[in-house]
Amino acid sequence: MILRQIKRIRTLIMAGRAWDAQEDVEHLTDLIRNDPPVAEDRDLIEAKLAELRLLAEAALQGAKGAAEQIREILHAAQSLETYDNQGARRVTDTAAPQIRRY
């Protein structure tokens, strides 16, 4: 039951459904608290939880990066004028990498 719940949380994180994953983590915590795993399953469960943590941290970093790109885009969009009041050309660079499609 615990491993199935961990797998479900992993699927939710991969799908970008952080709120649902958080609810399932709370459910997993209750499962473990109410019915602790037997000693021989603990190593496997700990390994799966460590993988889940790495995945969650990577998802968080990706979300932070996307939020930063959106901030940069919004900042650049506020000054889309090509010339300022004195007639000088305006150029606004952003740190966002150019998207490549293959």
Side-chain angles (χ1 to χ4, degrees):
M1 186 70 152
I2 291 172
L3 292 175
R4 192 174 340 144
Q5 187 68 19
I6 292 172
K7 184 177 179 180
R8 177 176 160 77
I9 293 167
R10 183 181 197 290
T11 301
L12 289 169
I13 292 171
M14 294 293 290
R17 296 173 52 194
W19 298 117
D20 295 331
Q22 180 181 354
E23 290 176 9
D24 277 31
V25 166
E26 292 168 6
H27 180 69
L28 175 64
T29 302
D30 291 340
L31 279 174
I32 293 172
R33 185 179 300 123
N34 296 332
D35 188 19
V38 293
E40 52 269 2
D41 291 341
R42 287 186 185 151
D43 288 340
L44 176 61
I45 291 171
E46 286 178 11
K48 294 292 183 182
L49 288 173
E51 290 174 13
L52 195 61
R53 180 181 176 159
L54 289 174
L55 180 63
E57 288 173 354
L60 175 62
Q61 292 304 315
K64 284 181 178 180
E68 180 60 31
Q69 285 183 342
I70 290 171
R71 276 192 292 277
E72 289 178 8
I73 290 168
L74 291 174
H75 177 73
Q78 291 172 352
S79 61
L80 284 178
E81 299 171 13
T82 305
Y83 299 95
D84 64 13
N85 292 337
Q86 288 76 35
R89 185 174 170 90
R90 283 183 153 186
V91 177
T92 304
D93 293 325
T94 66
Q98 184 176 10
I99 295 174
R100 295 185 178 125
R101 296 182 185 207
Y102 299 97

